Amino acid sequence: MVFHMQPYGIQGLLKEGHKHLSGLDEAVLKNIDACKQLTLITRTSLGPNGMNKMIINHLDKLFVTNDAATIVNELEVQHPAAKILVLAGKAQQEEIGDGANLTISFAGEILQNAEELIRMGLHPSEIISGYTKAINKTIELLEELVEEGSENMDVRSKVEVVSRMKAAVSSKRFGEEDILCPLIADACIQVCPKNPANFNVDNVRIVKLVGGGLHNCSVVRGMILKNDAIGSIKKVEKAKIVVFTGGVDTSATETKGTVLIQNAEQLEKYAKTEEAKVEELIKAVADSGAKVVVSGAAVGEMALHFCERYKLMVLKISSKFELRRFCRTTGAVALLKLCPPNPDNLGYADSVSVEEIGGARVTIVKNDEAGNSVTTVVLRGSTDSILDDLERAVDDGVNTYKAMCRDSRILPGAAATEIELARKLKEFSFKETGLDQYAIAKFAESFEMVPKILADNAGLNAMEIISSLYAEHASGNTKVGIDIEEGVCKDVSNLNIWDLYVTKFFALKYATDAACTVLRVDQIIMSKPAGGPKRDQPAGMDED
Amino acid sequence: MAAMMQPQIILLKEGTDTAQGKAQVVSNINACTAVADSVRSTLGPRGMDKLIHDDKGNTTISNDGATIMKLLDIVHPAAKILVDIAKSQDSEVGDGTTTVVLLAGEFLKEAKPFIEDGVHSQNLIRSYRTASNLAINKIRDLSVSIEGKSLEEKKTLLAKCAETTLSSKLIGGEKEFFALMVVDAVLAIGDGDRLNLIGIKKVPGGTMRDSFLVNGVAFKKTFSYAGFEQQPKSFVKPKILLLNIELELKSEKENAEIRLSDPSQYQSIVDAEWNIIYDKLDKCVQSGAKIVLSRLAIGDLATQYFADRDIFCAGRVTEEDLQRVAAATGGTVQTSVNNVIDEVLGYCELFEEKQVGNERFNIFSGCPAGQTATIVLRGGADQFIDEAERSLHDAIMIVRRAVKNSTVVAGGGAIDMEISRYLRQHARTIAGKSQLFINSYAKALEVIPRQLCDNAGFDATDVLNKLRQKHASGEGANYGVDINTGGIADSFANFVWEPSVVKINAINAATEAACLILSVDETVKNPKSESAQGEAAASAMAGRGRGLPRGGRGMRRR
């Protein structure tokens, strides 16, 4: 067209190529739609019967998981509004380490309900204020629902830990929680410091070894290094350990230097003195009482020769982090260069041995005495993807332990809390005057999503379950939830299914915050992508 | 313009491929069954081999499930899981790789109709897990311990296990011969569970029967210099010095330089270099060793020097062989010739150089520390020896597991039939859907005897019915397929034995894999970052700039 219409309004304001979307239809509803799409992916993974997703990321790595945090992380979500949900999920993952799926799914659900309200004619700001009121009320209600007496717990009691951890682990590997939970609990309790609030998740290590099965999993006090010892000495008991971060080798100059030899005598001596020097150093190490030498870098052949001669076991740990953990496990102080160690700098381990597990040779550093601060969970499984998934389950369990160290309050699980919240909030909404009432009612309704998905994923009739749950709760049995195995409603305190209060608290809070942020947007302005190498070549039609 | 302005939802990156729902589960199952089908025909003593020709032009002939799966180069994400379990079975037990793939494929195949009928996969998974636990416990019940027998007795028992494994391989014709060899080799390495202490050397030529076991170490003659032939080639009770240094005239250190102001000193420097090497050689001789081995080169000067003193030497011995010699003879590898004490010298009963085919071998036998064994394999074609090596590796692993765990079960499909019967019986006591699922699991287990028959050309239905009848009668728990007659026979009495750990691990891994595949209801494939261009060209969204979508497209969903 020759007479191009003059751009007007905001179009005239911005550079050509900008996109600008505004208004309810174009911005708000579309944003909601995008978030809905995202939750469609994650919600089928909620709960113990959730399905796995197979994700192949851009590096061609295969993930098989139902951990929402991993899913959204690998999905490469592009839509800006959906990204907000992803960020909420990540925040939850970082804060608690579990419950990311609840965050995303719940945010999606309340957004979906917001859509209905918008269609009814409510303004987003009214919905936001209603949702804010609702979440504040929810938090109040949540505190009321806390199981009595649960705020005091002994974080060193395995039974109590397992009961609190079970729900989190079973949502990842259902049917295996009875094996996994005690393992995780053992590992966590072993490294729990005097002040449980200082519990560091990094102290529970995970080693994945392909082969065997779940019942071969175990917990080792100490560390497992996934490599062999260098020398021929493969087992040492009650050993003092010396750690060198630099290599165990003859020291070489950084600057290029040449040894100048003047006469024959010097030439003959040259090799001998170097050898003598190494021997002297290694002898000094051996004399200090150390039986194991750990090197952070290469071990020279000459040095190795003398280590063998003085019966020193030689290990190489090239990762800096691993070396640091090793020092923590054994209580050794890392020495920068090869020099005779001070007795104070020596570490100690009950046994250091090389063993074969499932075809792989690993070095096991055991330390049963008190004072050790690292334990390792050995995971066995038949494929890498199963192992990765087990690892995430263990991670969740450990994170839950950390959360319960800070706040041990618990809530009834298996959707009992959600139904109770839905019921109470609904009552609350009736007492509100004004348009907030509708938003609060919808917010309350959103809680039904949890039992609905749990039932759906378990192949049960969701409507039936929800109505019978409501009936039970209305008659005062506030702890009734879904028993997935049998497909009926039961009192969860008998089933021993508990969720941590903090997990739920943050999940709901983050979800509402994210949803309100999405709702607040009424305009989207996308600038033209900057130039640069064109990635997507124009090509013909879409294949699908 | 209005259409262009329509807002759009692009959730994921362009080129992202997503698939969800029941169809996804079914398509994953189909992919896995296809993979299982490709190894199906290799099972059992009458299994056929596969010839795999890879893109580099290498030809491999094998009937080892793990080898085939590795070479198949599978890209389907779900089918890859089968490759993983085959590998894991290989590393954990060493044999039964075909079994594990076949079982996983069959479990999935049995699950498919249920999924298509709308059963939730979680229900299936739960039942499968229960079934696998029951099956494993049953195997434990049925297994027979070979502990507490005398060494001789144990040896024959272990040989039976090795024979069962070998019978399904290319070298099955000579299974008794190789079984004994394998058992001897494994017992030789004793408790030191380092697999690399058993060496397998391949020499083309001769027949399989010419293969032999060296109770010690054997390796091919290394590159040698003049003077080597003058060295004695046989010693009785020699001492052995193992080195990790070059015995050659060479510059002592890279970073040293000699500056001379007086030309007359030149000769003294040359002399000094000679002195250094002579000094080293002299120390080797002083140590009392009769055999000097080095990982690095032993030059002609040294060769001659040793020849003059009736010492045998070999340079450039591979690291592995040197380690094996060290382990066998009780010596330690030295990086310096200074201060060689007696303690670090190795010792063996007999050293000799022997002609094998057209290769010469250095053989150390009668080693005090034991702990090593070397099998020298002979045979026609290269591929044949390669396959024989793989087969022996399997057999060695099996025997090692049997030594460690020392319980065996009846092979020939007997244990599978028995578990199948047991599970069917158990299923009848369950109310609800899981009865069907456990039944189908039990049915899937029958694939082993069925495939054994199919591969041998028997009427599978007929044999299976006979087996079912026998097992149902309550006293035929050990009855399996008789591969020789096409009927059924007591596998246990016929010494068709497998270590129970093989079966346990196979069932465990197959079930885990099947459950994993069943539990996936969505696949999301992100575009590859490196090959973004190719990807984009293939499934282009048309070049409308990235991430800035215009034409009102929804999520790409199939």
Side-chain angles (χ1 to χ4, degrees):
Chain A
M1 233 193 268
V2 186
F3 300 105
H4 196 278
M5 211 201 288
Q6 200 64 39
Y8 60 92
I10 197 157
Q11 294 288 329
L13 206 68
L14 301 169
K15 223 199 259 172
E16 202 181 330
H18 270 258
K19 285 207 63 95
H20 163 249
L21 308 163
S22 68
L24 280 181
D25 273 342
E26 279 187 355
V28 183
L29 291 183
K30 290 296 159 188
N31 279 344
I32 291 177
D33 209 20
C35 298
K36 232 160 72 186
Q37 301 278 13
L38 179 71
T39 44
L40 271 186
I41 298 180
T42 57
R43 66 194 299 169
T44 48
S45 296
L46 190 76
N49 271 350
M51 300 293 280
N52 284 351
K53 308 287 166 198
M54 198 177 257
I55 299 163
I56 300 149
N57 74 357
H58 64 106
L59 296 171
D60 242 8
K61 187 173 177 348
L62 175 67
F63 293 84
V64 181
T65 182
N66 62 9
D67 180 52
T70 316
I71 296 173
V72 292
N73 219 358
E74 298 303 330
L75 270 181
E76 295 190 28
V77 173
Q78 287 231 311
H79 194 282
K83 252 189 184 157
I84 295 176
L85 256 61
V86 172
L87 289 176
K90 278 187 188 160
Q92 170 77 8
Q93 184 71 15
E94 268 160 37
E95 183 70 33
I96 306 293
D98 186 31
N101 205 342
L102 181 63
T103 314
I104 295 170
S105 300
F106 188 70
E109 188 67 21
I110 56 178
L111 280 173
Q112 200 174 339
N113 284 332
E115 186 185 341
E116 285 172 35
L117 291 172
I118 290 173
R119 293 208 192 283
M120 267 166 63
L122 257 73
H123 192 268
S125 65
E126 285 155 354
I127 303 175
I128 294 170
S129 86
Y131 277 5
T132 322
K133 265 189 195 161
I135 187 69
N136 290 338
K137 181 71 188 168
T138 308
I139 289 166
E140 272 174 40
L141 290 172
L142 214 52
E143 292 206 18
E144 287 169 20
L145 290 175
V146 167
E147 180 71 5
E148 263 174 61
S150 66
E151 62 273 11
N152 300 317
M153 84 169 268
D154 179 11
V155 290
R156 285 182 180 78
S157 144
K158 195 167 158 187
V159 184
E160 283 186 49
V161 172
V162 168
S163 75
R164 283 169 167 81
M165 197 183 276
K166 218 165 144 191
V169 176
S170 66
S171 73
K172 293 291 169 300
R173 304 288 302 174
F174 184 49
E176 294 170 359
E177 70 272 12
D178 288 337
I179 305 175
L180 280 175
C181 285
L183 280 179
I184 306 171
D186 268 343
C188 290
I189 292 168
Q190 272 172 27
V191 296
C192 188
K194 279 203 187 76
N195 178 6
N198 293 336
F199 176 76
N200 183 356
V201 284
D202 198 39
N203 285 341
V204 178
R205 306 299 308 160
I206 295 168
V207 168
K208 297 175 281 181
L209 295 166
V210 174
L214 195 68
H215 44 265
N216 303 95
C217 295
S218 58
V219 174
V220 173
R221 282 197 158 204
M223 268 180 91
I224 294 187
L225 307 170
K226 268 178 130 174
N227 47 11
D228 201 346
I230 300 178
S232 62
I233 300 161
K234 305 288 186 197
K235 190 170 171 65
V236 180
E237 301 263 344
K238 299 212 184 329
K240 285 193 176 153
I241 296 167
V242 58
V243 179
F244 298 108
T245 47
V248 177
D249 204 353
T250 45
S251 34
T253 49
E254 288 296 329
T255 358
K256 190 175 164 8
T258 312
V259 182
L260 210 56
I261 292 171
Q262 304 286 358
N263 55 37
E265 204 181 327
Q266 284 179 348
L267 179 64
E268 282 181 38
K269 271 189 181 160
Y270 182 63
K272 277 185 201 160
T273 45
E274 196 177 2
E275 210 178 293
K277 184 83 188 152
V278 178
E279 180 165 11
E280 189 191 317
L281 280 171
I282 302 288
K283 190 166 183 300
V285 172
D287 286 346
S288 73
K291 281 189 194 160
V292 180
V293 176
V294 180
S295 161
V299 179
E301 286 189 342
M302 190 60 83
L304 187 59
H305 168 85
F306 286 111
C307 288
E308 296 272 290
R309 183 59 72 81
Y310 290 105
K311 303 270 178 263
L312 298 173
M313 183 174 185
V314 185
L315 295 175
K316 191 178 144 190
I317 304 174
S318 22
S319 154
K320 286 244 165 11
F321 303 101
E322 199 79 350
L323 197 68
R324 208 180 300 156
R325 262 176 236 125
F326 184 87
C327 290
R328 219 161 45 204
T329 315
T330 57
V333 179
L335 301 170
L336 274 177
K337 61 190 267 281
L338 188 57
C339 57
N342 189 324
D344 297 342
N345 295 345
L346 291 179
Y348 174 82
D350 280 342
S351 83
V352 182
S353 62
V354 178
E355 276 170 39
E356 187 182 313
I357 302 180
R361 303 190 67 77
V362 294
T363 311
I364 300 176
V365 183
K366 269 192 197 154
N367 217 346
D368 289 326
E369 298 297 313
N372 71 320
S373 50
V374 175
T375 55
T376 307
V377 180
V378 185
L379 292 179
R380 308 294 316 276
S382 46
T383 70
D384 288 335
S385 14
I386 290 179
L387 284 175
D388 286 345
D389 209 30
L390 277 175
E391 181 186 8
R392 283 188 283 268
V394 174
D395 271 347
D396 273 9
V398 175
N399 278 319
T400 313
Y401 183 79
K402 182 183 157 196
M404 76 177 82
C405 281
R406 289 206 225 126
D407 187 344
S408 65
R409 282 176 291 173
I410 49 177
L411 297 165
T417 310
E418 279 81 4
I419 284 291
E420 189 59 20
L421 283 174
R423 202 174 60 86
K424 290 244 173 87
L425 262 184
K426 223 168 219 165
E427 280 170 17
F428 171 70
S429 76
F430 295 139
K431 291 175 199 150
E432 279 294 302
T433 52
L435 289 171
D436 289 350
Q437 197 193 73
Y438 296 105
I440 297 173
K442 279 287 174 201
F443 193 90
E445 215 172 89
S446 308
F447 282 111
E448 285 174 15
M449 170 213 64
V450 177
K452 184 169 175 294
I453 293 177
L454 285 182
D456 269 349
N457 286 354
L460 306 170
N461 186 342
M463 281 347 275
E464 237 172 66
I465 296 275
I466 292 177
S467 48
S468 51
L469 278 178
Y470 269 128
E472 290 276 359
H473 280 252
S475 58
N477 302 327
T478 55
K479 281 179 204 159
V480 172
I482 310 176
D483 178 3
I484 286 169
E485 302 227 7
E486 287 175 35
V488 289
C489 301
K490 272 192 183 165
D491 193 332
V492 288
S493 51
N494 298 335
L495 297 171
N496 224 352
I497 306 173
W498 302 103
D499 285 338
L500 278 185
Y501 167 78
V502 272
T503 313
K504 206 136 265 181
F505 173 80
F506 279 109
L508 296 179
K509 208 169 154 46
Y510 285 142
T512 317
D513 285 352
C516 290
T517 315
V518 173
L519 283 175
R520 269 201 189 99
V521 176
D522 77 329
Q523 265 195 9
I524 307 175
I525 302 168
M526 284 192 273
S527 61
K528 191 177 168 186
K534 230 193 187 140
R535 265 196 30 192
D536 296 354
Q537 296 298 317
M541 298 296 291
D542 258 345
E543 352 165 64
D544 52 348
Chain B
M1 201 60 191
M4 293 284 278
M5 278 307 291
Q6 210 178 56
Q8 57 311 111
I9 309 152
I10 292 272
L11 185 59
L12 304 172
K13 238 188 196 163
E14 281 171 30
T16 306
D17 199 359
T18 64
Q20 192 181 24
K22 200 158 83 182
Q24 176 63 19
V25 184
V26 173
S27 107
N28 280 343
I29 294 180
N30 286 342
C32 294
T33 4
V35 171
D37 278 343
S38 69
V39 292
R40 182 176 286 271
S41 60
T42 64
L43 186 84
R46 299 290 160 88
M48 303 298 278
D49 289 359
K50 303 276 170 196
L51 190 149
I52 297 156
H53 189 82
D54 66 13
D55 50 2
K56 291 191 197 80
N58 298 328
T59 314
T60 314
I61 299 176
S62 181
N63 81 359
D64 176 44
T67 313
I68 299 173
M69 296 294 280
K70 253 181 249 167
L71 291 169
L72 274 181
D73 206 12
I74 291 169
V75 287
H76 192 284
K80 256 188 190 160
I81 293 172
L82 292 192
V83 183
D84 281 350
I85 54 167
K87 277 189 201 157
S88 109
Q89 176 83 0
D90 199 32
S91 65
E92 182 75 14
V93 243
D95 194 29
T97 46
T98 311
T99 314
V100 75
V101 175
L102 202 55
L103 277 178
E106 203 64 22
F107 289 151
L108 289 171
K109 207 170 163 185
E110 289 294 332
K112 194 170 136 191
F114 291 117
I115 299 283
E116 279 169 344
D117 286 348
V119 172
H120 198 276
S121 351
Q122 290 294 351
N123 291 336
L124 267 167
I125 292 172
R126 203 179 315 138
S127 303
Y128 273 18
R129 286 216 180 109
T130 326
S132 108
N133 284 340
L134 285 169
I136 289 170
N137 288 337
K138 184 73 185 166
I139 297 179
R140 295 224 168 94
D141 281 353
L142 287 172
S143 59
V144 177
S145 174
I146 56 171
E147 203 59 63
K149 303 266 167 62
S150 73
L151 186 66
E152 269 315 299
E153 234 176 310
K154 211 169 175 179
K155 235 172 151 176
T156 43
L157 296 179
L158 289 174
K160 300 294 178 213
C161 289
E163 272 176 37
T164 311
T165 304
L166 288 171
S167 66
S168 67
K169 311 282 179 190
L170 202 57
I171 53 176
E174 304 285 351
K175 58 180 181 187
E176 290 92 356
F177 178 71
F178 283 109
L180 277 179
M181 192 182 276
V182 166
V183 172
D184 282 339
V186 173
L187 292 181
I189 66 166
D191 293 334
D193 55 351
R194 290 160 67 195
L195 186 60
N196 55 5
L197 288 181
I198 299 182
I200 299 183
K201 300 284 166 189
K202 297 174 280 188
V203 188
T207 64
M208 283 190 286
R209 283 251 166 211
D210 294 332
S211 309
F212 59 91
L213 175 82
V214 178
N215 212 342
V217 192
F219 56 87
K220 222 180 264 184
K221 182 186 87 87
T222 51
F223 180 80
S224 58
Y225 287 95
F228 179 74
E229 296 309 328
Q230 279 93 52
Q231 293 176 348
K233 295 294 156 52
S234 155
F235 288 101
V236 179
K237 302 189 178 172
K239 281 186 179 160
I240 303 159
L241 176 61
L242 306 163
L243 293 175
N244 190 18
I245 48 170
E246 281 181 53
L247 291 175
E248 226 174 348
L249 203 53
K250 56 146 201 162
S251 71
E252 191 58 39
K253 279 279 175 290
E254 296 301 321
N255 60 351
E257 191 182 321
I258 297 170
R259 292 233 177 110
L260 296 176
S261 45
D262 181 5
S264 64
Q265 278 198 342
Y266 191 77
Q267 187 56 43
S268 73
I269 295 289
V270 175
D271 288 345
E273 286 192 336
W274 282 78
N275 280 341
I276 291 173
I277 175 94
Y278 275 128
D279 180 48
K280 281 187 189 168
L281 294 175
D282 197 43
K283 277 178 179 151
C284 293
V285 177
Q286 293 293 317
S287 71
K290 281 293 168 197
I291 297 171
V292 178
L293 303 178
S294 175
R295 197 171 68 81
L296 299 169
I298 295 184
D300 43 2
L301 177 75
T303 312
Q304 195 63 52
Y305 188 91
F306 286 137
D308 292 344
R309 284 157 188 79
D310 281 347
I311 290 175
F312 176 86
C313 72
R316 296 188 198 280
V317 178
T318 57
E319 173 90 48
E320 267 193 337
D321 286 330
L322 202 65
Q323 289 301 339
R324 237 177 265 147
V325 176
T329 61
T332 13
V333 181
Q334 300 292 304
T335 316
S336 151
V337 286
N338 293 325
N339 189 18
V340 175
I341 43 174
D342 228 24
E343 202 181 302
V344 300
L345 293 181
Y347 167 84
C348 74
E349 285 293 325
L350 181 69
F351 166 80
E352 55 186 342
E353 191 181 274
K354 225 181 179 179
Q355 188 82 23
V356 179
N358 55 0
E359 304 279 1
R360 278 197 280 172
F361 267 81
N362 297 323
I363 297 174
F364 300 81
S365 45
C367 303
Q371 297 202 344
T372 49
T374 310
I375 295 172
V376 180
L377 266 184
R378 306 295 314 275
D382 279 343
Q383 280 95 350
F384 181 82
I385 306 187
D386 285 347
E387 173 64 4
E389 186 190 353
R390 279 192 289 273
S391 311
L392 284 185
H393 172 259
D394 281 7
I396 290 171
M397 291 294 283
I398 285 293
V399 176
R400 283 177 67 205
R401 296 300 160 197
V403 170
K404 263 193 193 164
N405 290 307
S406 42
T407 52
V408 293
V409 290
I415 184 79
D416 308 276
M417 280 312 284
E418 184 58 21
I419 302 169
S420 176
R421 183 199 61 78
Y422 169 71
L423 285 179
R424 274 173 208 268
Q425 200 184 22
H426 176 83
R428 291 200 196 107
T429 63
I430 305 171
K433 277 184 269 188
S434 66
Q435 182 185 34
L436 288 171
F437 307 149
I438 292 186
N439 246 335
S440 71
Y441 188 94
K443 191 171 162 221
L445 283 171
E446 283 180 0
V447 70
I448 304 287
R450 190 170 345 119
Q451 200 59 43
L452 283 177
C453 296
D454 277 347
N455 289 351
F458 305 145
D459 183 348
T461 324
D462 193 34
V463 177
L464 271 186
N465 282 335
K466 278 189 204 159
L467 277 178
R468 278 196 207 115
Q469 184 267 335
K470 199 80 194 169
H471 282 263
S473 73
E475 56 219 25
N478 288 331
Y479 271 75
V481 181
D482 184 347
I483 217 72
N484 298 319
T485 62
I488 59 170
D490 187 336
S491 297
F492 204 80
N494 286 338
F495 301 115
V496 183
W497 293 356
E498 294 178 86
S500 48
V501 59
V502 175
K503 264 277 123 69
I504 291 175
N505 206 59
I507 287 183
N508 205 354
T511 313
E512 266 184 23
C515 290
L516 190 69
I517 290 165
L518 284 178
S519 72
V520 173
D521 77 332
E522 176 153 6
T523 309
V524 179
K525 193 170 170 32
N526 286 332
K528 273 190 212 170
S529 53
E530 310 97 315
S531 59
Q533 290 223 323
E535 191 88 10
S539 64
M541 278 278 285
R544 290 192 174 152
R546 84 186 101 131
L548 206 177
R550 297 193 180 191
R553 299 234 0 149
M555 256 183 73
R556 289 164 53 81
R557 199 168 268 275
R558 239 171 247 165

